[in-house]
Amino acid sequence: MAAPEEDEVEPVDEDYNNALFTFPPEVQEAIDQVLPSTDPLDKPDFNAVEFINNLFPTEQSLANIDEVINRMRTKIHRLDDDIRNVVRGQTNAGQDGREALVEAQRAIQELFKRIKDIKEKAEKSEQMVKEITRDIKQLDHAKRHLTASITTLNHLHMLVGGVDALESLTRRRQYGEVANLLQGVVNVLEHFQKYMSIPQIRQLADKVKKIQSELGTQIIADFEESFSNQGSRPLTNQKELTEACLVVNVLDPKVKKDLLKWFVKLQLQEYLVLFQENQDVAWLDKIDRRFAWVQRAVLGFEEKYGRIFPSDWEVAERICVEFCHVTQDGLSMVMQNRSMEIEVKLLLFAIQRTTNFETLLAKRFKGTTLLPHVEKSQSSEPTPEDKDAQQRDRDPLNPFDVDEDEDETEAVEIKPAAKPRVSPFHRIISQCFEPHLHIYIESQDRNLSDLIQRFMDDFRTQGPPPIQAEEGGAVLPSCADLFVFYKKCMVQCSQLSTGQPLLSLTASFQKYLREYANRLLSGNLPKSQTPMPTSLNFSTLLKEGLKESSSEVPKFTADEQYRVCSILVTAEYCLDTTQQLEEKLKEKIDSSLREQISLSGEVDVFHGVISNCIQLLVQDLESACEPAMTAMNKVNWSSIETVGDQSGYVNAITTHISRTVPVVRENLASARKYFTQFCIKFVNSFIPRFINHLFKCKPISTVGAEQLLLDTHSLKTVLLDLPSIGSQAGRKAPASYTKIVVKGMTKAEMILKIVMSPADPQSSFVDNYIKLMMDTETSDFQKILDMKGLKRNEQNALLELYRTRAPSQSHGQTNTDTNRPKSKIRVQEQELSRIRRLEKIIKKKL
């Protein structure tokens, strides 16, 4: 093909080129790795127009276009030459490939032949090794069999000799040697378990079983003969019996069980005769004699026969355990037959003595015969580390967190303690008293009734305890006594039963907790005081701050205030202790009855007592402040000409607050959260009452409104400082309290600011009201109009305008300032400036 002329330009189809030279992404990535290039012509996203624009960015650069075309053509010719050389180089590639493939096949065949030769040689070598080691294997098997035969023959010789020796030693009752030999024979016999099909071996095994059976029968007979012929004389064959016990350890466990059962029954024969249910000594009043008898019997056993039995047999413990079972059955039968004779004191006496004996057993024995899985090293007694930990966690003043042996005189906060391990001897005898515990529950119910009545009588004669210098109002002593009594009853009852009796006792607790709350606490609260109508000189009230008239307001005395605070603190103590009493009861009662334990109703009762106490304190302070606010309504606020100091009614309210709040704070020093509740409840009640009295002050002039605004700001300052008023500590009021005061008193200030604003123009007045009073009602707007003293037709017009504008506030405020005349805006600005000056005056005076 002839090359084109220099000046000719062949047209190129751009879409065709793109389709021809565009490769998939993975192919393009492979090309870039094999032939990396920075030439823009090699890029997969090559753009001819962009390439030309880069070569000729301006018209001046077109001057060297011929040079650029020549370079491009030279590059094209070079690429053609490269392609031509590559194509020519690939002409003989097919022939070379076929030759290489034939050569590779020839090499593979040669390699396969060599591998086959190596395999044949390996098989021959393996066969040769097998022939060499064949004789060695036979020798190894022969050696193994010979060794096993010799060992078996030795075992057989030992077994035969041991069986013969056992027969001889058994006849001569040489139990010491029998114990050692019998264990060896049994161990050797285990090696012949797989040879039991051989008659001779089976005969030897049967002979060993026969010897074991004869030994068991013979040893039990020897024990029975020795103890039946003993009388009061000491045993003469103690050594023989001691060695016989070693033999029993090797025999079937049933032999040991039968021997111990017979021996324990022998030791309790006298007890069964002495304490038959028809004997006078078997009754509850002589229950100590039962325990004294068994203690003497155990001591006598240990002195006489303690060395005969191995220590791990725990024979003394077995005697005591069997004694407990026999005693439980005997007491149950006796109490069932003579149930009408059981009295509370007698029942408690028997229970106390029985639990003391069970505690003694728990300290003396480990309980391994009752709990076979208990390790020998485990002790039922707490370790010194456990005692130290319990001592550290113990509160000595808590009736539910002290040792039962310590003095139970005062009760404070209950702390949970680690649950102690239950002794195996716990309630092993005393459970027989459970069917008769209703007598105890009824008795405790009567005792609680008498206790509540005694508390009532003591409170009437003695009153609440004296105030503490640092802790404020003191808890009534009767409260601690009540819960100490509860703790004592709960512990005593839980030691006897953790079932239905404890649930019945809980019901009694609930009954008298309510009795205590209603009769002793709520019943001794002073009656609510209400303001008495008095003839007041209101001019004197405003000038002298109610100094003379305040003495006529009915008010709690200091003793009554202290009584209310003491009852509140006591109710708080009862509330916390009742909750912890519930937790203790749930810990001690059976899991199946745990859901039935609930003292939430009693907790609610004490919550009610606390609320009543706080409400009484709030009402007392409100009743003291009520005459001052009533005097505020009697002032003719439309005739006030100048703004002076804060009014007398503000001084009177401040005086009452200054006298009452520090006393309440001091009395509630140990219940700070309830003092905070008192402050919050007071302002929540006082501020709406104050606003209602503001609405009653009508009509009000602008100067009168300014005076009321000054008074309101003064009251706001007093209320903000109310929690710490008269205190040197200067503690900051809680944020929740401050928020309530600021929100309530700000509403009162906004009301007065609206009263001070001019009613004309009406639209400005309504808009100002809506802006300042965000959450309000039509009735409040009506009251403000009454305070301004507007005529009825003016009020109606303003109310109608308010009703049309108020709903639009929910969709956003309308921009009324742009359409308002400049004169009206100027009047409103002057009014706002006047209010700001008034606020500055108030701050200076404060």
Side-chain angles (χ1 to χ4, degrees), residues 622 625-633 649 653 686 689-690 693:
E622 284 182 345
C625 298
E626 183 65 24
M629 290 191 290
T630 304
M632 176 183 70
N633 300 142
Y649 74 89
I653 294 174
F686 174 81
R689 189 186 296 263
F690 175 73
H693 280 279

Side-chain angles (χ1 to χ4, degrees), residues 451-459 478 481-482 516 520:
L451 192 64
I452 295 295
Q453 187 59 46
R454 180 168 63 84
F455 292 160
M456 292 288 296
D457 297 339
D458 292 345
F459 191 88
S478 59
D481 296 340
L482 178 66
Y516 186 84
L520 189 66

Side-chain angles (χ1 to χ4, degrees), residues 166 169-179 182 210-228 237-252 254-260 262-263 308-310 313:
L166 280 175
L169 294 172
T170 300
R171 287 192 298 269
R172 295 196 300 269
R173 284 180 167 77
Q174 297 179 359
Y175 296 125
E177 298 180 10
V178 169
L182 180 59
K210 182 180 179 182
I211 293 173
Q212 289 178 325
S213 178
E214 291 177 353
L215 279 171
T217 305
Q218 181 175 302
I219 290 173
I220 291 177
D222 290 345
F223 268 90
E224 291 178 352
E225 181 181 359
S226 299
F227 283 93
S228 62
N237 59 341
Q238 283 197 10
K239 181 179 180 182
E240 179 181 316
L241 296 179
T242 302
E243 293 174 349
C245 291
L246 300 178
V247 177
V248 172
N249 277 334
V250 184
L251 297 177
D252 187 6
K254 185 176 181 301
V255 178
K256 176 182 174 182
K257 182 179 179 181
D258 293 341
L259 177 61
L260 289 174
W262 167 83
F263 183 79
I308 295 179
F309 299 96
W313 283 21

